[in-house]
Amino acid sequence: MPTRHKNLGAAQWMANGSAIEVVDLTLPENNVYAENVFGPAAQRARLPKGVYRKLQATIERGEELDPSIADAVASAMKDWALAKGATHYTHWFQPLTGSTAEKHDSFFGPTGDGMSIAEFSGKELIQAEPDASSFPTGGIRATFEARGYTAWDPTSPAFILENPNGATLCIPTAFMSWTGEALDNKIPLLRSMEALSTAALKALDLFGDHDAQRVFTTVGAEQEYFLIDEQYYYERPDLINTGRTLYGAKPPKGHELDDHYFGSIPERVLACMMEVERELARLGVPIKTRHNEVAPAQYEVAPIFEKSSVGADHQHLIMQTLQRVARNYGLVALLHEKPFAGVNGSGKHNNWSMSTETGHNLLDPGDTPYENLQFLFFAAAVIRAVDKHQGLLRATVANAGQDHRLGANEAPPAIISIYLGSEIERVFQAIAKGKVHKSTPKSFLGLGTPVLPHMPLHAGDRNRTSPFAFTGNKFEFRALGANQELGMPNTVLNTIVAESIDAMAGDLKKKLAKRGAKLETAVVDVVGDVYREHGRVVFDGDGYSEAWHEEAERRGLLNLRTTPDALPQFISPSTVQVFSKYKVLDKRELQARYDVYVEQYITKVNIEAETAANMGRTLIVPAALRQVTMCDEAGIDSLTDEVRGLTEELVSRLKVLEAANANHPHGTPIKHAQYMRDKVLPAMVSAREVADDLELIVADDLWPLPKYQEMLFVK
Ligand code: ADP
Ligand code: MG
């Protein structure tokens, strides 16, 4: 069938999604929000008062769970789930694969008389024992036992996962080895939230705030993704196997018109987005924003921020729901960081802040000098943390897909720096210099002390090139890849900021102990010290420019260009020190993660290389040979020579690729990863170059793969 006809098929769609119907959303009974979540409303309705209160104490204030309530919670949760049509339950967890895992068990057990009854005990709620040997453990399992167990995380509400043929109760859990090491991304995240809360409360105490009982870190992530027609997806082995196109000539230049960004959303895509949002609403995931992104066929979805642990769970649901619902519209959601070479990739912006249990955001500059002072302190702690642990932050966003994106003039550079906005930067500079400078903003008032600032309300400008930007009342870590889970990056942020707050609170306490000490002066002194030492990480210029690379080097900032360069930061002495001190991950648990990430890098590149070689040999070379025959038959030697030459070149480059990928070195895993980067990836690029040239001259009806312009522009 000629390609054009296929495109016509791809462009046609029917409103076959399950959400398309006219619903009067002003009626309360039509409000679907959180209807599939065993959250506070369902808990209050179904739990005995005392049990409900104890559960809330754990959820709201992080108090230790009283195990005696487990049976009551389990029973209420089961009845609620059965009423929703659930027949099975699962401990839903987050192994180091970067996605989620589930093993379903039926509620129903035989009673011996040919009948069955639904049972679910507190014990089954609290703990299960999946075999840990099938999940990456980075060696933890090998030396100990295969057994792992999952433990209920009561801070994240259980939810119902629906399928056309039934429903399953999903219980968010933590996953650990029998010997207690964290094998997942949830445990360290919870531990890091605890560490940050302790440190921040200590600081707030010095500020005279004795009311706060808990400080939560918050996260809201903007998710970029592509939607393409599923017909093209299933015609491309590279998309199926690796999530990205390993071949493909760029579409005609100028085709990537600027009007796509924030442009009107194609009808099929909008219908899909609406169903995604409705499904997420039912799961209690508060989606707020949707729009077109910069690249053709690229979009974004963003939720309202939540506590980090819940936000991280919800991020998984967002990614999974996008992929699941897209299929109802004949679409496939691509979450790869760089599905199309030469076209903008997809990232994820991790908006991060800290707030007390009553909702006081510690990174809100506020209107009063007192609030300003607190803001300066906590913002300085972030600056200190990001500077001290810049390598680790870079490592948490490192993976094979990211290497095609970071630093490629479309995404933040591999150098970690902070953008504060010029007003706030000048305030910090003035404090560091110990005086109000002529150039400090007008709003910079003294009150009681000449250096006490009145902060501007807005951070001022934006800087799209910065990997870590202050955006008014939160920091935005903009270097995450679209496919990433939020657990690890936020664990890192929480832990390193906890350390900084703790250290700065120690300094502040000493200064306050001096006779006649004033809070204002002491805070300004501490902040000044921090900024003098760590202000080098603050940069408000163009992060894409060559000049910044040189400047960053002069400042002594790290520039870890690729994943193999960055990953060793997970086991650097400064990482081990801070993670052990705050009991987030011990040396062994860090080493395990490092091993797993290095292994994942090698595996990914290997799969890409095998897929590229195979597609070259079995799809592209045969198409080129047909073209040679056709030119030959036509008797036009110049054409025959051209195609023949390119075909021979492609075959020889494919052989180089096959050889490179057949002979992996023995040695340490990191050496192996470097080999994949230095020998295998370049061989893939080199084969692709010739294949893409062939794509431009081989007859359209002979070319075996959907082209960029079809995938990106047929909607
Ligand atoms: P911007 O356009 O500046 O990025 P938005 O208000 O659109 O800001 O927010 C973008 C994302 O930041 C949203 O997902 C939002 O929930 C999140 N966000 C806002 N405030 C906070 C906060 N205090 N902590 C964490 N995330 C936040
Ligand atoms: Mg943003």
Side-chain angles (χ1 to χ4, degrees):
M1 182 168 51
T3 315
R4 300 287 160 266
H5 287 209
K6 287 191 183 175
N7 290 347
L8 204 59
Q12 286 166 347
W13 71 284
M14 287 199 338
N16 59 347
S18 58
I20 293 183
E21 58 190 71
V22 180
V23 181
D24 183 352
L25 292 174
T26 59
L27 299 175
E29 65 267 30
N30 288 340
N31 182 358
V32 297
Y33 191 76
E35 72 174 9
N36 275 349
V37 182
F38 191 65
Q43 289 166 6
R44 197 179 319 113
R46 288 183 177 265
L47 289 173
K49 260 208 186 68
V51 174
Y52 173 73
R53 250 187 258 117
K54 280 184 184 168
L55 185 57
Q56 289 308 308
T58 298
I59 297 171
E60 292 298 327
R61 297 190 291 283
E63 286 175 23
E64 203 173 318
L65 180 76
D66 175 353
S68 71
I69 66 172
D71 276 327
V73 176
S75 160
M77 206 187 266
K78 178 200 69 184
D79 291 344
W80 172 82
L82 291 176
K84 295 273 174 199
T87 52
H88 288 64
Y89 69 92
T90 179
H91 277 201
W92 186 74
F93 60 103
Q94 297 163 23
L96 299 178
T97 53
S99 61
T100 62
E102 51 197 76
K103 169 181 159 238
H104 299 193
D105 280 304
S106 173
F107 281 124
F108 296 93
T111 50
D113 53 0
M115 311 287 280
S116 71
I117 54 160
E119 283 177 321
F120 187 53
S121 69
K123 208 171 127 251
E124 287 162 307
L125 166 65
I126 283 189
Q127 189 176 317
E129 279 185 39
D131 185 356
S133 59
S134 317
F135 296 101
T137 63
I140 282 180
R141 178 197 56 84
T143 30
F144 289 89
E145 296 185 31
R147 223 153 17 142
Y149 68 96
T150 50
W152 178 36
D153 168 17
T155 65
S156 185
F159 57 92
I160 304 271
L161 207 62
E162 288 175 321
N163 176 280
N165 291 335
T168 305
L169 169 69
C170 296
I171 303 160
T173 54
F175 179 46
M176 66 204 83
S177 74
W178 196 248
T179 40
E181 281 98 351
L183 295 179
D184 71 350
N185 291 315
K186 185 51 132 351
I187 295 172
L189 179 60
L190 290 170
R191 289 178 185 159
S192 73
M193 290 171 73
E194 189 65 37
L196 188 130
S197 181
T198 308
L201 287 177
K202 179 169 148 189
L204 285 174
D205 211 44
L206 297 173
F207 277 91
D209 177 349
H210 312 296
D211 295 338
Q213 295 187 44
R214 177 93 195 168
V215 171
F216 286 102
T217 50
T218 50
V219 69
E222 301 156 64
Q223 168 78 51
E224 294 178 346
Y225 60 99
F226 282 85
L227 286 174
I228 65 165
D229 192 274
E230 63 184 355
Q231 178 176 315
Y232 302 136
Y233 177 86
Y234 289 107
E235 283 181 38
R236 296 211 49 139
D238 47 4
L239 282 179
I240 295 173
N241 286 338
T242 73
R244 75 179 179 105
T245 53
L246 301 172
Y247 295 99
K250 286 175 196 103
K253 250 217 150 30
H255 219 140
E256 226 178 299
L257 297 171
D258 286 341
D259 59 1
H260 181 73
Y261 187 58
F262 280 14
S264 75
I265 302 172
E267 188 177 44
R268 167 159 62 151
V269 170
L270 183 56
C272 173
M273 286 176 170
M274 286 174 157
E275 183 173 337
V276 167
E277 289 167 20
R278 188 175 139 123
E279 285 302 297
L280 287 169
R282 300 175 71 218
L283 292 167
V285 182
I287 296 299
K288 170 109 167 121
T289 313
R290 60 166 101 109
H291 59 80
N292 286 355
E293 255 304 326
V294 175
Q298 192 186 30
Y299 311 95
E300 178 178 303
V301 58
I304 294 171
F305 67 94
E306 301 176 279
K307 284 174 201 166
S308 302
S309 52
V310 178
D313 282 4
H314 283 172
Q315 182 65 30
H316 280 295
L317 291 178
I318 291 171
M319 292 193 283
Q320 287 165 9
T321 305
L322 270 174
Q323 287 174 312
R324 181 171 61 81
V325 171
R327 298 295 308 283
N328 292 347
Y329 297 85
L331 297 167
V332 171
L334 303 179
L335 297 180
H336 192 282
E337 295 82 3
K338 191 75 176 177
F340 306 100
V343 176
N344 264 8
S346 297
K348 180 160 357 206
H349 295 176
N350 188 104
N351 294 274
W352 178 94
S353 190
M354 318 168 251
S355 76
T356 65
E357 84 277 15
T358 54
H360 169 51
N361 181 350
L362 303 182
L363 289 175
D364 191 333
D367 313 311
T368 67
Y370 176 78
E371 288 170 320
N372 292 173
L373 207 57
Q374 264 194 16
F375 162 75
L376 283 175
F377 179 87
F378 288 108
V382 177
I383 294 169
R384 180 183 180 279
V386 171
D387 183 44
K388 266 192 88 169
H389 299 282
Q390 45 181 287
L392 178 59
L393 278 170
R394 167 67 183 92
T396 75
V397 298
N399 64 45
Q402 286 275 79
D403 286 359
H404 304 290
R405 196 180 82 90
L406 291 181
N409 276 11
E410 54 162 274
I415 306 163
I416 300 289
S417 67
I418 299 182
Y419 174 77
L420 288 176
S422 53
E423 301 246 303
I424 288 180
E425 186 176 336
R426 272 184 286 159
V427 171
F428 275 107
Q429 280 168 352
I431 290 174
K433 290 203 185 90
K435 59 174 192 255
V436 182
H437 194 259
K438 277 200 288 295
S439 64
T440 39
K442 286 230 165 41
S443 53
F444 189 93
L445 303 173
L447 195 120
T449 147
V451 286
L452 188 62
H454 181 87
M455 300 300 294
L457 269 179
H458 295 288
D461 249 353
R462 294 190 164 241
N463 182 332
R464 289 187 63 86
T465 69
S466 173
F468 205 94
F470 182 68
T471 48
N473 58 6
K474 61 186 187 288
F475 280 95
E476 189 169 337
F477 186 18
R478 304 176 63 251
L480 277 72
N483 224 341
Q484 272 196 273
E485 61 90 40
L486 298 183
M488 198 58 197
N490 286 280
T491 298
V492 166
L493 271 173
N494 297 348
T495 307
I496 64 178
V497 175
E499 178 201 39
S500 276
I501 294 175
D502 199 16
M504 286 171 60
D507 288 350
L508 183 59
K509 195 170 177 181
K510 272 189 218 133
K511 290 195 198 289
L512 287 174
K514 295 207 179 103
R515 243 174 9 131
K518 271 188 159 160
L519 181 67
E520 291 83 351
T521 330
V523 172
V524 166
D525 280 356
V526 171
V527 169
D529 286 348
V530 165
Y531 201 81
R532 275 189 296 278
E533 195 177 340
H534 299 284
R536 64 169 183 166
V537 77
V538 174
F539 174 64
D540 71 349
D542 179 1
Y544 295 168
S545 68
E546 208 29 64
W548 169 233
H549 285 229
E550 289 157 23
E551 166 73 14
E553 198 176 329
R554 270 196 297 281
R555 294 189 190 189
L557 299 177
L558 291 171
N559 185 358
L560 303 168
R561 288 182 176 80
T562 66
T563 298
D565 295 327
L567 289 181
Q569 296 288 326
F570 273 108
I571 45 171
S572 74
S574 62
T575 304
V576 174
Q577 196 269 336
V578 62
F579 271 71
S580 324
K581 179 166 181 202
Y582 292 94
K583 299 195 166 41
V584 175
L585 289 170
D586 64 22
K587 194 171 178 183
R588 197 176 151 63
E589 290 170 315
L590 281 167
Q591 177 77 38
R593 276 152 188 79
Y594 166 74
D595 290 346
V596 168
Y597 299 147
V598 171
E599 182 66 38
Q600 280 167 350
Y601 177 84
I602 296 167
T603 307
K604 265 201 183 141
V605 178
N606 180 56
I607 293 173
E608 290 187 350
E610 281 183 22
T611 307
N614 185 271
M615 287 172 71
R617 290 276 196 173
T618 64
L619 288 165
I620 298 173
V621 169
L625 292 176
R626 287 187 195 116
Q627 180 80 12
V628 172
T629 310
M630 193 168 77
C631 297
D632 214 24
E633 280 169 4
I636 306 181
D637 292 346
S638 63
L639 284 181
T640 316
D641 292 348
E642 186 187 16
V643 190
R644 190 195 301 274
L646 281 174
T647 309
E648 278 169 356
E649 182 62 29
L650 175 59
V651 171
S652 89
R653 293 191 187 193
L654 286 170
K655 284 184 178 162
V656 172
L657 170 60
E658 284 162 351
N661 202 38
N663 297 306
H664 292 192
H666 304 286
T668 58
I670 193 70
K671 282 265 172 331
H672 190 172
Q674 288 160 357
Y675 174 85
M676 300 307 279
R677 175 194 65 193
D678 299 335
K679 294 285 182 280
V680 178
L681 273 171
M684 279 167 65
V685 171
S686 150
R688 177 185 185 145
E689 266 168 24
V690 191
D692 290 358
D693 285 344
L694 277 165
E695 181 183 323
L696 299 175
I697 58 168
V698 169
D700 208 8
D701 59 340
L702 293 182
W703 194 252
L705 298 167
K707 298 181 177 182
Y708 272 26
Q709 69 185 53
E710 285 147 357
M711 291 185 280
L712 294 171
F713 295 102
V714 176
K715 290 174 189 155

